Amino acid sequence: MGAAPPKTVMITGVSRGLGRALALELARRGHTVVGCARSPEKLQALVTELTLDEPASSSSSTSKHLLKHLDVRSDNCIKELAKLVVEEGKVPDIIVNNAGTINKNNKIWDVPAEEFDMVIDTNIKGIANVMRHFLPLMIERKRGVIINMSSGWGRSAVAEVAPYCSSKWAIEGLSKSVAKEVPLGLAIVALSPGVVNTDLLASCFGSNAALYEAPESWAPKAATMILNLTSEDNGASLTI
């Protein structure tokens, strides 16, 4: 398979786990990464690593990548990011809505209201904020793919993570609905990453999370799949 032509890929929740591994893999393949995350320290560490991975022939002292410290729960922050990518000429060809969180294992009556809100506001409203401000940019260009990270638990259910399951079931429905709204040339895809050893998985599985593949092993096949999605995949629910 030949290398995909260079693309600009935006990843939310880019500073750790799947987002970080995917960003590094895409950068190694020569693609431009636009990203955002809540941790300024982890974000800066990623900026440094992405810069080191850039070709030595690059004469510019400025990285071609664009990473911003922000919270996807803030509609205004996402609005400002959308303005910035236009100004910088980095409107994404692909968006991976990866930012997400999970509740501590608990029965629903023992999940504090603020913890439930955190899961819903990050996992659902965060994605809605991104689509609200970035879909018009893609529609104007008549192309683009938005990947909303779902989960196996967005298609099934387990006990003690009801808030998380609720949010991922919502992403499946949200994605399929928006897929019916976008014009030809665009695609909205719900994508389950499979079971990967991340902090989120460790929250549920504890030390058993280490039995599953690491994000670094997951990223190459994820990158290949994501880069090859087209408008023909609009409305699909896929799994890596």
Side-chain angles (χ1 to χ4, degrees):
M1 182 182 294
K7 294 182 179 180
T8 298
V9 184
M10 176 172 141
I11 306 170
T12 66
V14 76
S15 69
R16 62 177 183 155
L18 301 184
R20 180 180 181 279
L22 182 59
L24 290 169
E25 178 65 25
L26 290 168
R28 279 191 286 269
R29 297 188 188 193
H31 303 285
T32 298
V33 175
V34 174
C36 60
R38 290 188 298 168
S39 169
E41 296 82 10
K42 290 180 180 178
L43 203 59
Q44 185 53 53
L46 178 59
V47 168
T48 301
E49 195 162 354
L50 286 171
T51 303
L52 289 173
D53 277 345
E54 288 183 358
S57 59
S58 176
S59 60
S60 173
S61 61
T62 303
S63 173
K64 71 175 183 177
H65 307 294
L66 176 64
L67 274 65
K68 298 296 292 183
H69 171 224
L70 62 82
D71 191 330
V72 296
R73 293 177 298 168
S74 168
D75 182 68
N76 190 59
C77 284
I78 297 299
K79 180 180 179 181
E80 291 303 313
L81 179 60
K83 288 181 181 178
L84 181 60
V85 299
V86 172
E87 293 169 0
E88 297 284 332
K90 290 181 170 64
V91 174
D93 300 295
I94 301 170
I95 294 175
V96 183
N97 276 313
N98 167 73
T101 190
I102 196 167
N103 60 288
K104 294 178 182 177
N105 289 12
N106 243 329
K107 293 182 173 59
I108 190 64
W109 53 88
D110 289 324
V111 176
E114 57 271 20
E115 188 175 2
F116 191 97
D117 289 347
M118 169 69 85
V119 173
I120 299 303
D121 290 351
T122 303
N123 296 5
I124 306 175
K125 293 182 182 178
I127 287 179
N129 289 340
V130 171
M131 291 198 292
R132 179 178 301 115
H133 295 293
F134 282 85
L135 267 176
L137 304 181
M138 290 181 161
I139 291 170
E140 184 177 353
R141 302 172 83 200
K142 299 181 180 180
R143 69 180 190 276
V145 176
I146 293 184
I147 297 151
N148 297 326
M149 293 300 266
S150 180
S151 169
W153 290 347
R155 302 164 191 171
S156 63
V158 293
E160 297 195 340
V161 284
Y164 180 80
C165 288
S166 299
S167 72
K168 295 304 181 177
W169 276 74
I171 290 311
E172 292 283 330
L174 178 65
S175 299
K176 289 187 180 299
S177 181
V178 178
K180 296 180 181 294
E181 299 173 353
V182 296
L184 292 175
L186 277 72
I188 311 294
V189 175
L191 182 64
S192 170
V195 186
V196 189
N197 181 14
T198 62
D199 291 344
L200 189 149
L201 191 72
S203 170
C204 307
F205 287 10
S207 60
N208 286 335
L211 298 174
Y212 297 91
E213 73 175 330
E216 293 74 20
S217 299
W218 169 90
K221 59 185 176 182
T224 296
M225 182 178 185
I226 286 167
L227 290 167
N228 284 283
L229 292 172
T230 71
S231 59
E232 296 297 316
D233 297 297
N234 188 37
S237 291
L238 304 175
T239 301
I240 294 173

